[in-house]
Amino acid sequence: MTEDEILKGLYDETLVGNGPRVLELVRAGLDVGLGPERMLFDALIPSLEEVGARFERGDYFVPEMLIAGRAMSGALDVLRPLLAETGAQSVGTFLMSTVKGDVHDIGKNLVNIMLEGAGFHVIDLGVQVPPEKVIAGVLEHKPDIVGFSAFLTTTMPMFKANINALQKAGLRDSVIVMVGGAPVTQEYADAVGADSYAADAATAVRKAKELLAARRAAVTA
Ligand code: B1M
């Protein structure tokens, strides 16, 4: 199979949620030397975007979205070690979660993989994480950055609830707060008092490094 045929296959088979075929194609891609990033950004993510568009139009329903999401997660499991390959020392600790009420985790997991690839030690609290669990995680792991993902307009307000909980626990100033997820904007992040927002995984990594460097410089100044 050519690279283009594999990429097209990945797109088409993710769209119909054919998990086993997606895995075969990922492996075929690796065999012919297709980079994991190309499979991700040129096929798998665009396919999920089309799944979302079909859901919005009423052509797809939750089950279709679910099997497409599962197919993508299976592919990510295979690509994860390749995307996160790093010999670097830990540059900082990142505590990540999807907010309470929200089960979406593909985007969060992708951000985690890229952060690990950049040398961060990532602790993932999972999905539907209530503020109390975040606070317990901060106390236990003492992260440099606390990241929150929300993928629904109805769960975005949990950013504010989490930030309030950090404030109430006296922990707000000890961590950098970063937020993200498909419906989130810079304006929204500013409004809830987050320190940073990123629209995608690569930007999240860049901003995490910049914020950490700035904070460390301020501490040593
Ligand atoms: Co849902 N879903 N879903 N869904 N789902 C969306 C998000 C939606 C946009 C679809 C649509 O209408 N077009 C829509 C939300 C609309 C809105 O509120 N604005 C939606 C809906 C409505 C729902 C339900 C309410 C459907 C229902 O039940 N009626 C329901 C909610 C359940 C709940 O959470 N309580 C639901 C359920 C599901 C499934 C379980 C079936 C499944 C999730 C599977 C899973 O995650 N394990 C699912 C899926 C697969 C999707 C779509 C199709 C794909 C999401 C995805 O993985 N995208 C999605 C449509 C879409 O996004 N176009 C949709 C790929 C991923 C790589 O991108 O998630 O944006 P993304 O992550 C990016 C960035 O956002 C960013 O980096 C990531 C990588 O580049 N980022 C960060 C993420 N977190 C970050 C954190 C950061 C920084 C950057 O710092 C900390």
Side-chain angles (χ1 to χ4, degrees):
M1 278 179 109
T2 66
E3 291 190 353
D4 284 347
E5 282 168 346
I6 292 171
L7 289 174
K8 182 171 182 317
L10 281 171
Y11 181 93
D12 292 343
E13 299 296 346
T14 303
L15 201 55
V16 296
N18 187 349
R21 184 68 188 136
V22 168
L23 278 186
E24 277 172 21
L25 287 162
V26 166
R27 294 199 177 103
L30 294 174
D31 285 346
V32 300
L34 247 180
E37 286 89 358
R38 279 200 67 200
M39 292 194 252
L40 203 53
F41 296 110
D42 293 350
L44 295 164
I45 292 180
S47 182
L48 274 195
E49 277 163 10
E50 176 58 20
V51 170
R54 290 186 183 192
F55 179 75
E56 268 175 43
R57 292 200 300 268
D59 294 338
Y60 266 18
F61 299 94
V62 173
E64 284 89 352
M65 212 154 60
L66 190 61
I67 53 170
R70 279 197 193 133
M72 165 74 161
S73 293
L76 267 190
D77 286 344
V78 176
L79 296 177
R80 181 179 202 115
L82 301 164
L83 290 162
E85 244 168 29
T86 172
Q89 279 186 320
S90 174
V91 295
T93 301
F94 203 114
L95 186 75
M96 182 70 112
S97 57
T98 296
V99 298
K100 183 176 172 183
D102 202 320
V103 303
H104 296 85
D105 67 356
I106 296 169
K108 166 183 70 62
N109 294 344
L110 192 51
V111 174
N112 288 347
I113 291 171
M114 301 298 222
L115 285 167
E116 283 167 5
F120 279 90
H121 172 48
V122 179
I123 296 144
D124 184 1
L125 297 179
V127 297
Q128 306 212 67
V129 179
E132 314 83 78
K133 202 170 161 193
V134 173
I135 300 301
V138 172
L139 290 170
E140 183 182 351
H141 302 288
K142 306 198 175 5
D144 301 289
I145 307 180
V146 180
F148 298 108
S149 293
F151 303 92
L152 301 167
T153 39
T154 49
T155 56
M156 280 163 55
M158 284 312 297
F159 291 152
K160 186 72 188 150
N162 280 302
I163 290 172
N164 286 347
L166 284 168
Q167 242 143 14
K168 205 168 156 207
L171 295 167
R172 177 65 186 92
D173 293 337
S174 67
V175 292
I176 294 164
V177 173
M178 181 182 276
V179 296
V184 185
T185 60
Q186 181 66 58
E187 291 67 34
Y188 192 83
D190 292 342
V192 296
D195 298 311
S196 185
Y197 154 77
D200 55 59
T203 313
V205 170
R206 180 175 55 75
K207 289 198 171 178
K209 283 176 152 180
E210 286 170 2
L211 286 160
L212 207 48
R215 174 162 289 209
R216 284 180 178 155
V219 170
T220 52

